[in-house]
Amino acid sequence: MQKAYLFDSPGVEGNGYRSLVACLDACLMKLLESNIYMKEHRESFYFRLPSCTRDIKNFVDVLGMMRAILQYGERMLNMESETEAKDLFPRNGSELIDEWLVNVETLNQKCFFGSCTAFHFCPSIRMSLQTITTGLAAFAEKFRSLEAEHAGSGPQALGYLTSNLLASRKFMLDPDLKAQELVSSTRDLDIRFCKAFWSVSESRFFEPVHWWMLPKCELAREITIAPEVFTLPRATLDGEEVTIRPASAHFGERPLQARLMSTHLREGQLFIDANDTVTSFKLPDRVLPKSDCLIFHCHGRSQT
């Protein structure tokens, strides 16, 4: 960990090597906690030896895979020391990339998707990720069965949400079965499976879930960003401005479709609907000042 700071961005303590070491520390802590629990509760009436030994075995498997990954981390550090580049990315022509892409397929990925799923996250996020991976395994099983019956019918798995939820019980009871399904799906299924699973959250079945679990947004509207050039002040507050040009890659300059979301209505966000009237929850007396913070999220093919 002494060399982790060499690869941090200015003012940000974070890089791939630091994350790898943090995952290793989390795995060791889980093993230590399991051993302490076994020592302190082995005389208890409710103590179950098979359950404790199974947890220890699972984390030992994870530790073994982490050790194999760390060998590549060590080689990357050695390469950095030779070139003094302070860069974790191998240079063009390096044999390390090809070697890693070949050997990564031989790693036992199942240990990361079983009962040890998201072990390096905090408990709240860990529970959420375990729920998502369980649903993903059930969805993948249905997707695979539909593809076997008729090629191209896999995306229709969205219409079997009820049966998918019922099927998820077996994956909850058997984490190893879930891990096997997830590893097989990520290796064998194509992008259509990913797009179908991404669309699950937009189905009617999950519409009420957003209102139950997430804060309500006063503004969630699709907008169009015109292909116009404009300037913004730099974040360094040195008085300089940066020119923002419209996206032009792949398709040339054209409007961008985006969704503007805000938990509270703020200045500059008043929209007129089809009837040229302002909706009731957007009255000016409820409009807050402009915020200094903005989160910009994009995914898919780059447009800049």
Side-chain angles (χ1 to χ4, degrees), residues 190-294:
D190 55 18
I191 189 62
R192 293 182 299 111
F193 166 72
C194 297
K195 294 172 65 176
F197 185 73
W198 291 338
S199 302
V200 170
S201 61
E202 301 177 1
S203 63
R204 290 186 176 183
F205 181 85
F206 283 93
E207 284 183 359
V209 177
H210 300 288
W211 299 99
W212 298 335
M213 301 180 60
L214 303 176
K216 181 181 177 182
C217 286
E218 288 192 357
L219 178 66
R221 183 185 179 99
E222 292 185 1
I223 62 175
T224 300
I225 302 177
E228 300 176 354
V229 179
F230 59 94
T231 59
L232 289 175
R234 291 183 180 273
T236 55
L237 301 178
D238 55 6
E240 296 184 4
E241 293 185 339
V242 59
T243 301
I244 308 298
R245 301 187 180 278
S248 58
H250 307 297
F251 302 104
E253 295 185 2
R254 69 183 205 177
L256 293 179
Q257 299 296 324
R259 180 180 291 273
L260 179 62
M261 304 179 68
S262 179
T263 53
H264 301 286
L265 192 65
R266 298 184 179 275
E267 293 180 10
Q269 296 178 346
L270 286 175
F271 291 96
I272 305 298
D273 60 18
N275 298 322
D276 293 333
T277 58
V278 180
T279 54
S280 59
F281 68 90
K282 299 177 181 177
L283 295 178
D285 59 348
R286 298 189 56 181
V287 176
L288 299 180
K290 295 181 179 180
S291 174
D292 295 331
C293 303
L294 173 67

Side-chain angles (χ1 to χ4, degrees), residues 3 7 19 43 51 81-82 85 105 115 122 127 148 175 179 183 197 236 246 265 281 294:
K3 294 185 178 181
F7 314 106
S19 300
E43 302 297 336
S51 177
S81 300
E82 295 174 359
E105 296 296 330
S115 58
C122 63
M127 181 62 67
V183 173
F197 185 73
T236 55
L265 192 65
F281 68 90
L294 173 67

Side-chain angles (χ1 to χ4, degrees), residues 143 147 185-195:
F143 188 97
E147 282 289 323
S185 300
T186 53
R187 287 182 174 178
D188 301 337
L189 299 180
D190 55 18
I191 189 62
R192 293 182 299 111
F193 166 72
C194 297
K195 294 172 65 176

